[in-house]
Amino acid sequence: MQMRGGSSKGAYFLAADLPADPAERDDLLLRIMGSPDERQIDGLGGGHPLTSKVAVVGPSESPGADVDYLFLQVVPDRPIVTDAQTCGNLLAGVGPFAIERGLVAPAGETTTVRIRIMNPTVSLAEATVRTPAGQVQYDGDTVMAGTPFPAAPIDLAFPGGDAPLFPTGQVVDFFAGVEATAVDAGMPVVLVRAGDLGLAGDEEPAVLEADEALRAKVEALRVEAGRKMGLGDVRDTTVPKVSIISAPRHGGTVTTRTFIPHRVHAAIGVLGAVSVAAALRARGEANNRLVRVEHPSGFFDAYVQLEGVGPKARLVRSTVVRTARKLSDGLVWPRTGKATG
């Protein structure tokens, strides 16, 4: 099934329909999505990280979850499939997909699907899906920045955990000579002030992507941050993200431009926004639980509850509202041969 989840788009599969061996699975997904090819012209991918995503969903053996969700990022122009991070945008489609595939039975006007996220950074989430008359409702009036059309709301809630909000043990670090904050509230993110990179902070994504010196600087601090955050060598991974922050322009809490990690997001990821919001609250720069994160195509509201302040702060719970829509449902014909051949 192809779905738009949040401000991303991806292919959703039942786990039982894919090879159990990770190497065989990844090779198949490269051929299905059309990688390696920057256009992905021979597959389902859209030639951009935001449209080259896969969700693998199956029944969960955990008593606290209904389904397991594994997110896989298929790199468009390289033969790489990575599970190093999760995706909160594609997560918005997991609840509807689970109900459509019969993994979870509709429970009334709304159905809550308990999801165990199998990627390293988040353990559990709850998605509340509108299911009037026992059917997933996709049409609605909720307009979400980063998508052009309204749809039915899907409420996503993330419980906190015992993991530290600041993996380095400090609120402020220096990476590649730049002051930054390394945070993980579901997505490893490095916050850097725009002025420290010689930026205004409201540049268009294409302008930032075209600045080779900036991209090299961002990558250098990202690689150093990754090591200090305990992520190892991150040169070939998609985490941490780097969010460039500056003063709000439209009444929000902060303006962001986010490298994901080499392209610049047209909006901001769900858990990336939660991490930004949590860092601002722990740093004392956001006094309310509702943090409005401005991004290139609008804003993202994240409700964040913390316990404690400063380097000992811990995430208790976060909630967001997303939308999703089923685009197509059927068979896909992967190209033959090996993806790396």
Side-chain angles (χ1 to χ4, degrees):
M1 184 183 292
Q2 280 189 297
M3 301 186 75
R4 175 189 62 75
S7 56
S8 295
K9 184 166 63 175
Y12 289 68
F13 295 92
L14 288 173
D17 289 341
L18 294 174
D21 178 71
E24 293 182 16
R25 177 201 66 200
D26 292 353
D27 178 76
L28 175 61
L29 292 176
L30 287 166
R31 292 185 283 120
I32 286 174
M33 299 302 284
S35 294
D37 169 34
E38 64 180 11
R39 298 176 301 160
Q40 293 181 311
I41 198 68
D42 205 34
L44 298 181
H48 191 283
L50 298 182
T51 56
S52 184
K53 298 185 173 187
V54 168
V56 182
V57 183
S60 180
E61 296 181 357
S62 169
D66 301 308
V67 297
D68 289 344
Y69 156 54
L70 176 68
F71 168 71
L72 297 171
Q73 179 72 64
V74 181
V75 178
D77 58 350
R78 291 185 290 167
I80 295 174
V81 179
T82 175
D83 64 356
Q85 66 170 77
T86 190
C87 176
N89 275 305
L90 243 59
L91 175 65
V94 171
F97 177 78
I99 296 168
E100 293 258 19
R101 287 291 187 261
L103 299 177
V104 176
E109 290 296 306
T110 64
T111 300
T112 296
V113 180
R114 301 173 303 162
I115 302 165
R116 182 169 66 160
I117 302 173
M118 304 304 289
N119 300 87
T121 53
V122 179
S123 56
L124 294 171
E126 293 182 352
T128 300
V129 183
R130 274 57 181 176
T131 52
Q135 300 290 325
V136 176
Q137 177 182 331
Y138 292 103
D139 294 338
D141 299 324
T142 298
V143 178
M144 192 193 75
T147 61
F149 307 111
I154 297 172
D155 303 308
L156 297 178
F158 305 95
D162 295 328
L165 188 60
F166 300 104
T168 68
Q170 302 182 116
V171 175
V172 176
D173 287 280
F174 284 86
F175 304 127
V178 179
E179 182 178 310
T181 293
V183 60
D184 187 350
M187 178 66 68
V189 175
V190 182
L191 276 65
V192 183
R193 296 195 182 279
D196 292 341
L197 295 174
L199 301 172
D202 60 353
E203 291 85 353
E204 290 298 318
V207 172
L208 298 176
E209 290 180 358
D211 189 333
E212 293 186 7
L214 172 66
R215 291 174 62 182
K217 185 67 172 179
V218 168
E219 180 64 3
L221 72 89
R222 191 182 79 86
V223 169
E224 185 174 327
R227 288 195 299 269
K228 293 183 178 179
M229 294 172 76
L231 300 173
D233 186 349
V234 301
R235 286 175 293 181
D236 290 327
T237 71
T238 56
V239 290
K241 316 297 187 189
V242 177
S243 278
I244 299 170
I245 62 171
S246 60
R249 271 68 170 184
H250 305 288
T253 309
V254 67
T255 295
T256 61
R257 296 293 186 267
T258 303
F259 282 81
I260 57 170
H262 307 298
R263 303 291 297 273
V264 178
H265 206 307
I268 191 170
V270 171
L271 293 166
V274 171
S275 288
V276 169
L280 293 179
R281 290 214 65 209
R283 294 191 333 188
E285 297 173 34
N287 296 322
N288 299 319
R289 288 186 181 178
L290 169 60
V291 179
R292 174 159 289 184
V293 180
E294 298 179 7
H295 54 70
S297 52
F299 62 86
F300 189 114
D301 286 340
Y303 295 83
V304 177
Q305 181 181 355
L306 298 183
E307 183 179 86
V309 295
K312 295 185 178 181
R314 184 180 68 85
L315 178 68
V316 176
R317 185 177 177 85
S318 60
T319 57
V320 301
V321 177
R322 298 276 87 186
T323 67
R325 197 172 76 81
K326 179 169 65 173
L327 304 177
S328 66
D329 192 359
L331 301 175
V332 59
W333 279 262
R335 73 176 186 271
T336 58
K338 286 290 184 180
T340 55

